Amino acid sequence: MEEISFRTKIFIGEHALDRLNQIIAERIFIVTDPYIEKSGMTAEVTSRLQSKDNEYQIFSDIVPDPPIETVAAGVKVIQEFNPSVLIAIGGGSAIDAAKAMKDFAIRLSPQQKDMKFIAIPTTSGTGTEVTSFSVITDEVNHVKHPLVSDALLPDEAILDTHLVKSVPPTITADTGMDVLTHAIEAYVSTKANDFSDAFAEKAVQLIFDYLPRCYKDGNDLVAREKVHHASCLAGLAFNMVGLGINHSIAHVCGAQFHIPHGRMNALLLTPVIEYNAGLQGLTHQSFSAAAKKYAQLARVSGLPAANVRVGINSLIQHINQLKRELRMPTSLRACGLKKEQVISALAAISEAALKDGCTATNPRIPTNKEIETIVERLY
Ligand code: NAD
């Protein structure tokens, strides 16, 4: 038996941020990054909280791939300020850091357990506004730690398209490919079900149709809204059924090589599909469940899929074409790495990727050697 529940209330549509107008007489702790504050987006939040007996405090020290130390600093402020509401506005880094701050603060001071959590994403990528995950980085050991607990689920998510207009093309590409990876990994997860498939299929269709438009014209609000929704839908899908080795390897390589999360996922996406589908040597009768699912995804995305092999190949070609349109690097070399850097890290990468929580739901459990081969091929 499995239970499916959706705890996060989601606000969408024009003026979704106006939900904040309903907050009255609360102590609000706002977590964000310096860019979001400087750009005036934090002011969009505070202007809706003013003159209603609210008190607020802003913490804007979040950096990409938030380190443990930043989380600890935020916990300290929570303990001093004692907020009743925590609002995280920013990309996955700000929201994940705030999730971890809330969790640790409540562990230290259980009386703060009723603190409400509102997530306002300003990138369309991680889906963290609806997930029970938070990824925190140990900068000393170059490791990303995914925290997983239902306690991390936001109470509310506000998807306001105007906030993602300013995302520059490179970050639009990186974060959009993160969405695609979430949806595809959830679709072939060993726990996938009809509900998660519905979210994942829709997310993939929206990314294929609208991500290139967002990349070409950030002010295309129709496309921006579709991709923002795709991000959330993919988050709902993987939160239900988990991810796979694309993310396990990306967590380790991203922290080791300092490559943005979505870009690292994009590099791995087609090699991992090829590995999971395991087409080599397979006859028509012996296609794996994952191979059939990839072909099904091609079919529902309107790509040629006369049989399983054709479906998988057209999915791979379409993803490669998308990456070209988004001008994404196609190798670790193009990301500026030296070959020796990659080779010397292979053993540690495979070791850590196998231990990563995402590996358990991958359709095929790899060996150390197989992971090393996937990563080596990326150079
Ligand atoms: P991010 O939050 O690190 O932000 C990347 C950059 O984009 C930052 O410089 C930020 O200031 C800028 N930015 C954010 N919004 C902007 C806007 N509207 N306009 C212009 N610039 C803007 O990037 P991200 O990809 O959203 O998050 C990545 C983090 O999330 C990683 O740490 C990754 O491991 C984690 N992650 C978490 C989950 C989860 O479920 N919790 C899932 C995937 C990834």
Side-chain angles (χ1 to χ4, degrees), residues 33 35 65 91-93 96 122-123 128 131 133 144 163 166 171 175:
D33 75 35
Y35 170 79
D65 298 329
S93 296
D96 276 12
T122 63
T123 57
T128 184
T131 75
F133 293 82
K144 280 188 171 189
L163 298 175
S166 54
I171 299 178
T175 48

Side-chain angles (χ1 to χ4, degrees), residues 67-335:
I68 297 164
E69 292 73 17
T70 311
V71 172
V75 171
K76 200 155 168 268
V77 184
I78 292 181
Q79 289 185 307
E80 286 156 12
F81 181 61
N82 193 23
S84 51
V85 178
L86 198 163
I87 295 180
I89 175 165
S93 296
I95 298 176
D96 276 12
K99 281 170 150 181
M101 285 173 192
K102 179 185 170 219
D103 194 48
F104 289 126
I106 292 174
R107 282 173 206 230
L108 292 169
S109 315
Q111 72 276 12
Q112 288 182 316
K113 70 177 175 16
D114 295 327
M115 196 190 326
K116 200 183 180 84
F117 189 104
I118 302 177
I120 310 175
T122 63
T123 57
S124 307
T126 67
T128 184
E129 68 275 9
V130 289
T131 75
S132 31
F133 293 82
S134 161
V135 185
I136 302 303
T137 301
D138 173 350
E139 287 189 322
V140 177
N141 297 306
H142 306 289
V143 184
K144 280 188 171 189
H145 292 292
L147 314 175
V148 193
S149 157
D150 278 352
L152 297 172
L153 269 170
D155 299 292
E156 296 183 12
I158 300 179
L159 307 184
D160 195 311
T161 311
H162 288 276
L163 298 175
V164 289
K165 265 191 317 196
S166 54
V167 180
T170 325
I171 299 178
T172 299
D174 291 343
T175 48
M177 290 304 291
D178 194 19
V179 177
L180 186 63
T181 313
H182 291 154
I184 293 180
E185 289 215 281
Y187 202 65
V188 297
S189 153
T190 52
K191 288 191 176 168
N193 59 50
D194 288 336
F195 295 83
S196 59
D197 282 0
F199 288 128
E201 284 177 4
K202 186 69 184 175
V204 170
Q205 290 161 1
L206 291 175
I207 288 294
F208 282 163
D209 289 346
Y210 294 100
L211 183 58
R213 274 175 57 175
C214 290
Y215 179 79
K216 282 181 200 124
D217 177 9
N219 288 312
D220 181 342
L221 282 184
V222 172
R224 283 290 196 191
E225 181 176 80
K226 296 291 187 192
V227 172
H228 213 32
H229 290 177
S231 170
C232 189
L233 288 165
L236 290 168
F238 84 77
N239 198 50
M240 222 184 282
V241 297
L243 292 164
I245 58 165
N246 203 122
H247 266 79
S248 310
I249 303 173
H251 285 146
V252 192
C253 288
Q256 279 269 343
F257 302 142
H258 303 287
I259 295 175
H261 177 69
R263 196 174 309 168
M264 194 61 233
N265 271 332
L267 276 174
L268 284 158
L269 191 52
T270 48
V272 167
I273 292 176
E274 280 168 15
Y275 169 76
N276 281 342
L279 281 187
Q280 270 175 358
L282 285 191
T283 64
H284 221 54
Q285 287 72 36
S286 58
F287 288 126
S288 63
K292 290 179 193 160
K293 286 294 286 281
Y294 287 129
Q296 169 69 5
L297 197 50
R299 196 168 301 118
V300 299
S301 304
L303 303 173
N307 61 46
V308 171
R309 203 175 287 277
V310 171
I312 295 169
N313 284 334
S314 54
L315 182 66
I316 289 174
Q317 276 172 29
H318 196 72
I319 294 169
N320 284 334
Q321 167 61 23
L322 177 63
K323 288 199 272 187
R324 279 193 293 275
E325 270 183 79
L326 303 177
R327 296 193 175 81
M328 300 196 80
T330 51
S331 66
L332 287 174
R333 184 201 308 257
C335 292

